[in-house]
Amino acid sequence: MFTHGKKVVTRMAPSPTGHLHVGTARTALYNYLYAKNKGGDFIVRCEDTDKERSTAAFEEEIIAGLTWLGMSWDAYYRQSERSEVYRPYLEQAIADGAAYRSKEDSTREPGTEIEVVRLKNPNKTITFEDEIRGEVTMDTTDLGDFVIARAIDDPLFHFVNVVDDHEMGVTHIIRGEDHIPNTPRQILIQEALGFERPTYAHLPLLLAPDRSKLSKRHGPVSLTQYAEKGYMPGAITNYLALLGWNPGTDQEVFTLDELVSEFDIAGVQKGGAIFDIEKLRWMNREHMSRLSDDEFRIMVTDRMPDTQKALPQYTGARLEKLAPIIRERVSVAYDIAQEAEKGEYDFAFAAPKPPAEMLMWKKDEHVRDPLPRLQKVAEILSTIPDACTADDAKNALWNYAEEIGKGEVLWPLRVALSGRERSPDPFTLIHILGSAESYKRVQSACDTILSA
Ligand code: GLU
């Protein structure tokens, strides 16, 4: 539009008055992707002029969140440190007759008189071209001569927002569609100050699956909550990028760098984008599957609850062998602790004590029936090396299982090793436990049967 040949500059302008919402993170991401795709600058501007509601803790949370997501910025500003920038513009607007001082009763402290600054509204229709929504036209008459500063040294949100975008060379304003009603006001201020109009792109809102506005009652909405659950930053940026943007191909899994090269504002939809936690979990699983075995093992070690670490056979080596099983079962790091707490992985770290009845295959009639089979299995186990693969275990046991009946042999073996109705297959269990521990467990199952 007016930006031909100019370096693209986008900005994220958060107010540090609350937790970093996933929607705000998406706005930041789109600004980042757009700028980096065009070889431009992405800046962060902390809009902390509301002194009562802004806090340093929220500002830190925003910075930490964006950093965690892998974004970096070319400049960082804080509006509270820029008051000397705004005053000359306000004085200029007054001198030009585009704004005027007005003595009024304070609404905050009734009975006191203050001198606010109001914009002289030319009462006209504003039309702007939105990159996502097309032409938007709004009549500004109803806005009246709105207040742009509470005092000459206390400019309000719209005024500082416009001045900063101009001062910082912002070429593209990409923000949520809840800001559309602000745009005509801001354009009036731009025109009053003689600024060039930037390009606007208003993003569709994030919706809950019931199509209402996404809020806390639908689940976690702050980025920190997702980080704490162990979502991977790359999965979040990937998911947020696709929440309202269609890459135009079948590709769904992108790294941040790939997003930078593919992002195009033309692929952003107008309609609300539904935030679907199941899709996010799927995305996280995709990103987790790209972790190396070492990286995944670190994640698993990190997430294992202390109750598991206290079990008698807990060792790093055992955990390492269990890790591939865990990887198959979880979508988010948080699931690891959840599954562990349900006892899903106890078999790896403590010898189970399954009752004799549980060792019976469905065709068995007496608790003693599995005994000779388990004794034979123990004999076979004593012939294979302790550090064996699942295939080694299978090769050693398979002929016997085929001869006697797979259920008859493998069911009691699996229960003897895991103590559970459901578990990984017995060969995998032998690999995880080693043949020596497996032998001990089978022997112990035999003892249970003998004393039943
Ligand atoms: N500070 C405003 C907010 O957090 C954003 C303003 C803008 O993006 O223009 O809602």
Side-chain angles (χ1 to χ4, degrees):
M1 198 178 167
F2 298 101
T3 50
H4 185 72
K6 241 204 243 175
K7 184 176 198 178
V8 166
V9 180
T10 64
R11 86 315 194 255
M12 186 227 183
S15 305
T17 54
H19 294 290
L20 178 52
H21 189 283
V22 284
T24 313
R26 184 191 60 158
T27 303
L29 180 65
Y30 281 26
N31 277 285
Y32 174 81
L33 297 177
Y34 188 81
K36 295 301 143 186
N37 176 273
K38 304 275 184 225
D41 284 352
F42 167 64
I43 64 184
V44 177
R45 181 172 76 227
C46 177
E47 301 209 318
D48 57 351
T49 46
D50 183 340
K51 293 174 199 76
E52 273 121 57
R53 292 174 58 228
S54 301
T55 73
F58 286 137
E59 184 185 349
E60 273 163 35
E61 182 180 322
I62 292 164
I63 295 174
L66 299 185
T67 308
W68 179 70
L69 288 176
M71 286 181 250
S72 55
W73 35 93
D74 300 284
Y76 188 89
Y77 302 95
R78 213 173 266 125
Q79 284 184 330
S80 58
E81 291 167 358
R82 296 170 54 78
S83 35
E84 76 285 3
V85 173
Y86 309 123
R87 189 174 173 138
Y89 285 105
L90 207 46
E91 282 167 348
Q92 183 67 46
I94 295 167
D96 291 348
Y100 59 91
R101 296 170 193 262
S102 161
K103 284 201 183 350
E104 299 175 9
D105 273 347
S106 166
T107 45
R108 288 184 170 183
E109 291 165 59
T112 41
E113 200 170 68
I114 51 168
E115 192 178 62
V116 302
V117 182
R118 287 184 179 273
L119 187 90
K120 195 176 282 170
N121 189 337
N123 296 330
K124 61 177 194 174
T125 299
I126 295 278
T127 296
F128 67 93
E129 191 61 35
D130 189 286
E131 292 289 291
I132 296 163
R133 317 182 65 85
E135 211 170 80
V136 180
T137 300
M138 287 168 125
D139 186 10
T140 65
T141 312
D142 287 348
L143 300 176
D145 287 356
F146 56 91
V147 178
I148 53 176
R150 252 191 310 256
I152 194 72
D153 55 1
D154 190 9
L156 290 174
F157 164 65
H158 293 296
F159 190 82
V160 295
N161 186 277
V162 167
V163 168
D164 275 346
D165 284 337
H166 169 77
E167 280 267 320
M168 296 167 191
V170 172
T171 57
H172 293 72
I173 294 183
I174 304 171
R175 59 187 178 188
E177 69 176 25
D178 46 327
H179 285 288
I180 291 178
N182 292 335
T183 308
R185 264 180 228 265
Q186 295 178 351
I187 290 176
L188 287 181
I189 297 171
Q190 274 158 20
E191 291 182 349
L193 295 170
F195 298 161
E196 223 170 76
R197 186 185 296 181
T199 300
Y200 288 98
H202 287 96
L203 304 175
L205 290 184
L206 295 192
L207 303 176
D210 65 2
R211 302 202 68 87
S212 62
K213 191 169 175 242
L214 185 68
S215 76
K216 271 190 223 144
R217 75 195 153 82
H218 301 109
V221 287
S222 99
L223 193 69
T224 319
Q225 288 169 294
Y226 287 94
E228 279 165 5
K229 282 190 184 305
Y231 280 86
M232 294 176 60
I236 304 248
T237 46
N238 192 165
Y239 181 68
L240 290 178
L242 296 181
L243 212 48
W245 168 66
N246 183 339
T249 63
D250 289 341
Q251 188 177 347
E252 286 198 278
V253 181
F254 295 86
T255 62
L256 189 56
D257 285 343
E258 286 169 337
L259 289 172
V260 165
S261 50
E262 297 302 319
F263 188 76
D264 178 2
I265 209 106
V268 178
Q269 71 196 40
K270 245 194 259 181
I274 294 182
F275 189 89
D276 175 358
I277 192 77
E278 284 309 317
K279 186 77 202 278
L280 173 58
R281 284 177 58 82
W282 174 83
M283 187 67 85
N284 199 70
R285 192 176 156 83
E286 289 294 310
H287 281 258
M288 244 165 58
S289 74
R290 296 177 171 200
L291 290 177
S292 70
D293 288 345
D294 271 351
E295 288 166 331
F296 187 71
R297 193 168 36 76
I298 292 168
M299 178 184 277
V300 168
T301 312
D302 221 47
R303 291 276 165 177
M304 269 292 160
D306 289 343
T307 47
Q308 295 282 296
K309 292 182 178 169
L311 291 175
Q313 298 181 6
Y314 184 92
T315 60
R318 198 56 79 70
L319 186 68
E320 188 169 343
K321 289 202 224 153
L322 178 67
I325 301 290
I326 300 180
R327 200 199 278 248
E328 269 173 37
R329 301 178 53 110
V330 301
S331 299
V332 181
Y334 169 77
D335 299 343
I336 298 169
Q338 283 235 309
E339 296 250 307
E341 271 151 17
K342 277 194 282 171
E344 293 290 335
Y345 308 130
D346 285 3
F347 69 83
F349 310 123
K353 263 256 161 260
E357 293 70 26
M358 199 177 164
L359 293 157
M360 290 167 72
W361 172 237
K362 60 186 178 198
K363 292 183 192 159
D364 289 337
E365 285 168 2
H366 194 272
V367 280
R368 293 255 164 155
D369 291 352
L371 184 61
R373 295 175 231 141
L374 284 174
Q375 284 167 334
K376 177 69 183 173
V377 164
E379 193 189 308
I380 298 173
L381 283 171
S382 69
T383 66
I384 57 177
D386 187 47
C388 60
T389 63
D391 277 345
D392 294 339
K394 186 171 180 179
N395 290 338
L397 288 155
W398 196 248
N399 283 347
Y400 177 62
E402 286 220 301
E403 184 194 321
I404 302 295
K406 285 187 219 108
E408 280 79 357
V409 173
L410 302 181
W411 172 269
L413 169 59
R414 208 181 50 65
V415 173
L417 298 176
S418 68
R420 294 181 75 88
E421 298 272 352
R422 284 161 195 280
S423 77
D425 71 80
F427 312 118
T428 302
L429 292 174
I430 294 167
H431 160 67
I432 294 170
L433 301 169
S435 67
E437 171 64 17
S438 302
Y439 175 87
K440 277 195 219 156
R441 291 188 184 189
V442 172
Q443 286 294 10
S444 148
C446 291
D447 294 345
T448 305
I449 293 173
L450 282 168
S451 56

